[in-house]
Amino acid sequence: MYVTAAVLSVLLALGSLAAGAPKALLKGDVPAALQSHMGLSAGFVRFIGLAEAAAAVGLVIGLFWQPLGIAAATGLVITMIGAVGFHAKAGDYTDPATRNNALSPVVFLLLAVAAAVTLGLAM
């Protein structure tokens, strides 16, 4: 079970860092789209990016100290539930032009739940 938890944690950490870094730095198209399309402030977008980057660090350290990995995965679950809610409120799931981008938090949500469960079972 630990190998599964490790693989899920590493994949989730890489994805979370890749998604969070541009938001934390406010660089690229994604932070600009979150600000213009969803009406989020620059500070809130940066906070989301820092939370995703912190989850990535927590997931990697959690490979050695599993309670931190479980906490990081759980925090990412909460963050992704919020992201899914924001995308639903903006109507991104019904618009074919924005649907693909809006499905990313759903995938991250499922991966985060799986990582938290497998880390818990591996303890």
Side-chain angles (χ1 to χ4, degrees):
M1 187 60 69
Y2 180 76
V3 173
T4 304
V7 169
L8 286 171
S9 293
V10 168
L11 287 174
L12 190 57
L14 290 172
S16 182
L17 186 62
K23 293 175 196 158
L25 299 172
L26 296 177
K27 301 282 183 186
D29 296 337
V30 173
L34 290 173
Q35 291 172 339
S36 64
H37 175 65
M38 293 201 176
L40 302 178
S41 70
F44 191 59
V45 171
R46 180 169 278 145
F47 173 76
I48 293 167
L50 290 172
E52 291 173 346
V57 172
L59 284 162
V60 171
I61 295 172
L63 293 173
F64 306 101
W65 189 49
Q66 287 154 329
L68 182 60
I70 294 167
T74 303
L76 203 52
V77 166
I78 293 166
T79 304
M80 290 303 115
I81 288 172
V84 169
F86 272 103
H87 282 289
K89 182 179 175 185
D92 290 342
Y93 295 110
T94 57
D95 184 4
T98 58
R99 185 176 302 137
N100 287 339
N101 289 338
L103 289 176
S104 296
V106 175
V107 173
F108 276 109
L109 174 63
L110 295 174
L111 276 174
V113 168
V117 169
T118 55
L119 281 168
L121 293 174
M123 283 184 69

